[in-house]
Amino acid sequence: MFNTLNAEDVPQSPKVLTTPLEIAGILRLLQESHDPLIITFHERNQRFQSYLVDIDRDRKILSLDEMIPRDGERYLENGEAFRIEGFHEGVRVAWESSGNLTISETGEHRTYQGNLPDEVLYHQRRNAFRAALKLSQLVDVELGGEKLKAPIHGKLLDISATGCKLRFAGDISPRLQLGQVYDRFSAALPFGSMSTSVELRHLHFEENIDTTFAGVRFHNMSGLVQRQVERFVYQLQREARRFDKDDDF
């Protein structure tokens, strides 16, 4: 039988945006959604987090929030080139910067100002809507099965009809293998626990916060579990829309 969920998850070819209107538009989405950005300096292994705080299309200028950790500023001051990457509802947005940013400070708030990029990579890797959970409402998850000596406990960060992103304390990457199917994954959803098997598609240990992030794809979901997931995604979408509407007033 043809699986419609898998069809939704088919990656699309990346696009390169080159017009100021297109570039400002996608960057404004990152800004308004407060999507985190990952900054990596060329030939350096450390990763830094920031956010877009302002887009000025007329002046072709953008402003970034203070980097976390802040010691990345010394690379900015050296004028080192870097790459910025963010994700917005399944779309990967990335661009290169020559490193010519100006550090400014207003009260206790620091920002970095620079030119809008000349081109931005736009890659919609799936069509399924991915709903993020609020930090105060993260769901407990457990990953286990025959491939693991003991279950691993963590938190659910976001979820779509086809998979989800997980967070685990410490470095658990040696215990997991990319591409492996784990036959017991459970999540304590608000209206009842769901259980299915999952395939590990992404794994990354963030040393500076001692946390492992994993991306999994649901594997051979039953109809019952599929309905549970769709109900939860819909609930998160509805809450997000209500939150956005409240922000307008």
Side-chain angles (χ1 to χ4, degrees):
M1 181 180 292
F2 183 74
N3 190 329
T4 57
L5 288 182
N6 288 344
E8 288 179 348
D9 206 31
V10 174
Q12 299 185 9
S13 300
K15 301 176 182 178
V16 178
L17 309 182
T18 57
T19 70
L21 181 63
E22 289 177 316
I23 290 171
I26 188 60
L27 296 188
R28 188 163 285 113
L29 282 179
L30 294 175
Q31 175 199 351
E32 293 174 351
S33 301
H34 204 57
D35 294 315
L37 304 177
I38 298 299
I39 297 176
T40 51
F41 290 87
H42 297 180
E43 300 181 3
R44 297 188 184 276
N45 295 324
Q46 193 173 4
R47 294 152 60 94
F48 303 90
Q49 181 173 291
S50 183
Y51 295 89
L52 272 166
V53 294
D54 190 43
I55 305 292
D56 189 329
R57 182 166 64 90
D58 295 331
R59 298 167 57 207
K60 297 183 179 179
I61 290 175
L62 60 76
S63 296
L64 297 173
D65 199 11
E66 179 178 327
M67 276 191 288
I68 304 172
R70 186 167 154 179
D71 56 3
E73 280 189 10
R74 67 177 182 268
Y75 305 137
L76 281 184
E77 292 171 339
N78 292 341
E80 296 186 25
F82 57 89
R83 182 177 185 82
I84 301 178
E85 180 181 53
F87 290 87
H88 179 76
E89 295 183 3
V91 177
R92 176 176 176 263
V93 182
W95 68 96
E96 301 281 345
S97 174
S98 61
N100 296 322
L101 268 67
T102 302
I103 301 174
S104 60
E105 188 166 0
T106 304
E108 298 180 356
H109 192 69
R110 295 172 70 83
T111 58
Y112 318 124
Q113 289 190 335
N115 296 328
L116 284 178
D118 294 326
E119 60 180 39
V120 167
L121 181 71
Y122 176 98
H123 189 190
Q124 185 163 348
R125 301 193 297 182
R126 61 176 182 277
N127 289 333
F129 175 83
R130 182 168 291 252
L133 282 74
K134 297 178 182 178
L135 289 177
S136 59
Q137 299 176 337
L138 298 186
V139 166
D140 292 327
V141 299
E142 179 180 292
L143 186 63
E146 295 180 356
K147 302 297 182 180
L148 289 171
K149 293 182 179 179
I152 305 173
H153 299 271
K155 296 288 186 180
L156 178 70
L157 297 182
D158 66 32
I159 186 168
S160 76
T162 56
C164 56
K165 184 176 180 181
L166 312 173
R167 184 188 76 190
F168 301 94
D171 184 6
I172 64 164
S173 54
R175 302 170 60 184
L176 300 175
Q177 181 180 346
L178 285 174
Q180 181 65 59
V181 173
Y182 296 92
D183 53 7
R184 285 202 300 272
F185 169 79
S186 62
L189 303 184
F191 42 79
S193 179
M194 61 155 279
S195 182
T196 187
S197 57
V198 294
E199 178 188 354
L200 184 63
R201 303 294 296 272
H202 172 76
L203 188 64
H204 173 72
F205 173 59
E206 196 70 58
E207 185 175 1
N208 59 328
I209 56 174
D210 194 31
T211 301
T212 300
F213 296 95
V216 300
R217 178 169 176 162
F218 300 131
H219 185 75
N220 292 337
M221 267 198 306
S222 68
L224 172 62
V225 173
Q226 180 179 327
R227 288 191 292 274
Q228 283 181 300
V229 170
E230 290 173 348
R231 177 183 173 187
F232 189 44
V233 171
Y234 175 74
Q235 177 181 314
L236 293 173
Q237 283 181 289
R238 187 174 55 190
E239 290 177 358
R241 285 196 296 267
R242 185 168 63 242
F243 180 78
D244 289 343
K245 187 178 294 184
D246 290 343
D247 272 358
D248 291 339
F249 297 95

